[in-house]
DNA sequence: CCTTAACTTCACAAATTTCTGAAATTAGCG
DNA sequence: CGCTAATTTCAGAAATTTGTGAAGTTAAGG
């Protein structure tokens, strides 16, 4: 074939907005969600600030804020294009859902709050026991998630072949 | 001892607000988070609308909205107090984190959105492959979570003894 | 060094969300 | 059946969040 099917900008946009909407529903802020969806649906897996602004019809300021948030969450990486002051933002498709599932920081903070609750309400009280059980659940989760991700990587390599990049 | 340590309302409130804040940070709306934390920290595991309003210093309307949301998410159950038109809202400590982890509806919608993306961008494109991999990850998650929760229940029965209620 | 492209920060306007008071609805109980 | 306690719904006020334009900062390239 002389030409692979050209990307239909409208189809892409439809996916971007649809997927972003689901992320928003799950608690993510709108702009980070849109930026993230845009990156996910790009062929190279990375876009510049200008491209994002253009694609999503938003100001550079909005892109900047969204990217800062996503980078903090380890959902995108920033990389400097050598020989230019342009920056690219990239989803490492492996990495992002690892960030999503581990959420270490979140779980740790929950555990901390629960531990304080157990202490201040007393281990012997019904409420204290309930909190302790909840805490035990998150501690259990912590360990399980790590093992699960190991299994996922194995499964992934089997299905997608070890070699896929980005 | 003639008297178990009396609940210190201030300590309780401190836990409620602290834990609620963490839930908010993770994407939950403020009022449902506060109501939920209050229920978690109650000895009986259940409170009436009036008790909640009093405890959290909010209007009945606010309680009503929060409870509706929590019930939809299967994080609390409503139960009618027999012989009264008063309603109690309860956390089944087992059930709530099961609701939290399964999030079936959420995952299903993500999967749906991703499937559409794969279709419209094309399986053969780099972006399509990335979405397909992400989709595969969620499908994998689905199955893993069920098994993990089985292991949790076993672990829980071992540690907390099978008998704890509510 | 100076110029200038690229990104970030900041103050503010706009949009959205959240909570309230009040009216409407529901369902026990006499 | 009406009376009334309990909850829900709804319109709107208040607070918060979000995105913009413009000024500020950084660093590549001459």
């Amino acid at each position: 074939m002389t030409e692979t099917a050209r990307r239909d900008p409208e189809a892409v946009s439809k996916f971007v907005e649809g997927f972003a909407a689901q992320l928003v529903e799950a608690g993510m802020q709108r702009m980070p969600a849109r930026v993230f969806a845009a990156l996910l649906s790009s062929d190279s897996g990375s876009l510049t600030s200008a491209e994002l602004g253009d694609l999503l019809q938003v100001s550079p300021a909005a892109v900047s804020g969204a990217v800062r948030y996503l980078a903090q969450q380890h959902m995108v990486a920033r990389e400097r294009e050598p020989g230019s002051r342009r920056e690219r933002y990239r989803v490492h498709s492996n990495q992002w859902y690892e960030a999503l599932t581990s959420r270490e920081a979140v779980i740790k903070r929950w555990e901390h709050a629960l531990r304080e609750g157990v202490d201040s309400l007393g281990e012997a009280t019904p409420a204290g026991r309930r909190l302790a059980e909840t805490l035990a659940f998150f501690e259990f989760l912590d360990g399980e998630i790590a093992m699960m991700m190991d299994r996922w990587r194995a499964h992934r390599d089997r299905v997608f072949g070890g070699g896929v990049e980005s």
Side-chain angles (χ1 to χ4, degrees), chain A:
Chain A
M1 68 184 95
T2 53
E3 173 172 283
T4 45
R6 197 170 281 341
R7 281 164 69 81
D8 171 1
E10 223 192 293
V12 174
S13 169
K14 198 154 163 253
F15 167 75
V16 168
E17 298 307 329
F19 193 61
Q22 299 303 332
L23 294 174
V24 167
E25 190 135 342
M28 190 183 282
Q29 295 155 348
R30 179 168 311 275
M31 193 57 66
R34 298 216 299 151
V35 166
F36 183 73
L39 286 170
L40 252 198
S41 65
S42 71
D43 268 333
S44 67
S46 76
L47 295 169
T48 66
S49 177
E51 290 167 334
L52 282 166
D54 187 51
L55 215 61
L56 304 175
Q57 295 293 323
V58 292
S59 70
V63 173
S64 173
V67 160
R68 172 158 40 117
Y69 172 84
L70 291 169
Q72 273 174 356
Q73 308 295 313
H74 303 266
M75 291 176 70
V76 310
R78 334 164 77 103
E79 38 188 59
R80 208 33 158 285
E81 229 166 33
S84 166
R85 65 230 96 176
R86 199 173 275 139
E87 208 150 16
R88 302 193 72 84
Y89 309 111
R90 148 161 283 128
V91 298
H92 271 108
S93 69
N94 313 333
Q95 255 169 253
W96 88 262
Y97 43 67
E98 307 227 2
L100 188 126
T101 49
S102 68
R103 310 291 314 214
E104 297 220 23
V106 175
I107 295 189
K108 288 301 177 223
R109 283 201 305 270
W110 287 20
E111 289 179 0
H112 180 75
L114 286 166
R115 214 166 275 126
E116 291 211 319
V118 174
D119 287 351
S120 72
L121 299 187
E123 295 207 60
T125 65
R129 276 193 295 274
R130 185 180 310 107
L131 296 185
E133 182 187 317
T134 301
L135 173 56
F137 172 70
F138 285 113
E139 287 170 344
F140 177 82
L141 248 197
D142 252 349
E144 286 287 313
I145 286 177
M147 296 190 295
M148 184 176 74
M149 290 310 291
D150 284 343
R151 285 194 294 278
W152 159 249
R153 280 178 218 106
H155 177 75
R156 171 183 180 281
D157 289 351
R158 216 177 311 122
V159 174
F160 290 82
V164 190
E165 207 31 65
S166 113

